[in-house]
Each structure stands twice: as structure tokens, then as C-alpha cells.
Amino acid sequence: MKSILKKVALASLVSMTLLTFASCGSNSNNQNKEAVNNKTNQEQKEEKNETWSKELAKFINDVEGTVFKYSGFAEFRKDTTVSEVNESSEEKTITFKNEYMDMSEGESGKSKEDLLSETKYTIKEDSIIEQVYEDTKSPSIITESIILKGELKKDSSWEQEVVINGKKHQAVTSIKEINTDESGRTIVITETAVEGVEGYGSETYLEKRVYTEGIGLTEFSCNYLLSEGSTMEFGYRIFENGNR
């Protein structure tokens, strides 16, 4: 009789232990699921609060370490590298380090520092702002401007104030074309006109830019000032790039 009672008691104890483990396991699983759900909800909340344009952001590569190589007229060469990416709810910034190649093998007299510069892109709710720092080699005479804005469609345009040689000017940028390349990526072609720029024969400075989805700037050209009233078309394009 005692043996039977012992067996019954042991069986009850085992059953209670198994139920306890099962209950703990169930609570643990529920807690894990709740944590995952809370994390997902938080991520969705944070994403919902981001106001910078995801559509415009497609036209600036944001993969740190990606290197782009450009070449152009008169042995122009430039390498640019995605060096830093930062995000907040209001904006996303992407910084590029630029290095120009000295094709004269030192005969130009340019120091290493003269060949380095930095470009920062700030993506906001409806625009991308480009800022260029310490650049003495770029053919562009605009150091800060809105390069893309609003809905990307042909013939849309925007006005902005730019500073050239310490003077304020009104610039008008318009989207001339929107195409698709063989890989299905969208290509946006813009033109910027700045009137009243001293030294230019027509007193109008012009820039043409091509932006490719997933890459960024793939082609640039402008009416480069040679001497008072004399200009020539100067351009460069990408010849090697890293994609997303």
C-alpha cells in the first residue's frame, strides 16, 4: 500500500513539475512575442515619423565605402567616396570625400590638400541640398544649391538664391528629361541657369546634370569660363561605379 502511495505521489510531483516548466515556457514565449511585437511597433512608429523623402533619396548612393570614378575633358579625373551617412526624423545626410587626380605628375604645383574636397547632400521632405567644401578643382561655380526638388517630372522647375564669387544670384533649375536605362533605373536630367554672372559673355552660367537612381550624379557639364567673355563646354561623367 505504501509503495502504491509513493508511486502516486511521485507521479503527481512529476506532473506538477512538467506543468510548471510548460507554464514557464509559455510565459517566456509570450514575453518574447510581446517584445518582438513591441520592437516592430516601435520601428514602424519611428519609420512613420521620418519626414525626409525616400523617393528623392534613391538618387544619392548611401552605401558607405562605395567609390565612384569620373573622367572628363583635358584629362579630368576625380574619385569620390561615400564616407558618412546620418539620419534623423527630419533629414538624411550623406557625405562624400572627393580626390582629384593630378595628371601633371606634380607640375601643376597643387598640394595634396588642394586636390581634396568634401560634398554633403542633405535630403529633406521635398528636396536635396548639395553643399561643397574646400573645392578648388571643380568646374562648377555653385557651392550650395537645391539639386532635386518636389515631384520628379519633366518640365518641373524651382527658383533659388545661390552665391557665386561672394554675390547673390537667382538661379532656375528645371528637369529637362526623365528616362529609364537598360537596367530599369530612372535617370533625371536637370539644367540650372544663373543670369547676371560677371565675366560670362551672355552673363548666363549654365549647368547640366544627370542623376541615376541608385548611383547619384553620373554626368556633369557647364559653360566653363576661359577668359572674360570666353567660355567652353566642360564636362565629365562616371566611368566606374558601385551600385546598391
Side-chain angles (χ1 to χ4, degrees), residues 197-204 223-232:
V197 181
E198 187 177 350
Y200 287 76
S202 62
E203 291 195 339
T204 300
N223 55 338
Y224 187 76
L225 185 63
L226 295 174
S227 60
E228 189 75 21
S230 176
T231 63
M232 64 167 288

Side-chain angles (χ1 to χ4, degrees), residues 98-112:
N98 310 309
E99 181 177 2
Y100 294 91
M101 304 297 108
D102 185 1
M103 307 306 289
S104 70
E105 298 182 353
E107 293 182 6
S108 67
K110 296 287 186 181
S111 67
K112 179 71 173 178

Side-chain angles (χ1 to χ4, degrees), residues 43-54 87-91 125:
E43 288 175 346
Q44 290 175 345
K45 184 178 179 181
E46 289 176 356
E47 184 177 351
K48 186 176 180 180
N49 288 337
E50 290 177 346
T51 59
W52 50 271
S53 173
K54 307 295 187 302
E87 294 182 20
S88 69
S89 59
E90 294 83 15
E91 62 183 34
E125 183 175 5

Side-chain angles (χ1 to χ4, degrees), residues 190-216:
T190 68
E191 182 181 87
T192 299
V194 189
E195 294 185 353
V197 181
E198 187 177 350
Y200 287 76
S202 62
E203 291 195 339
T204 300
Y205 171 72
L206 295 172
E207 279 190 1
K208 177 183 175 182
R209 296 176 178 232
V210 179
Y211 293 94
T212 302
E213 181 181 358
I215 300 176

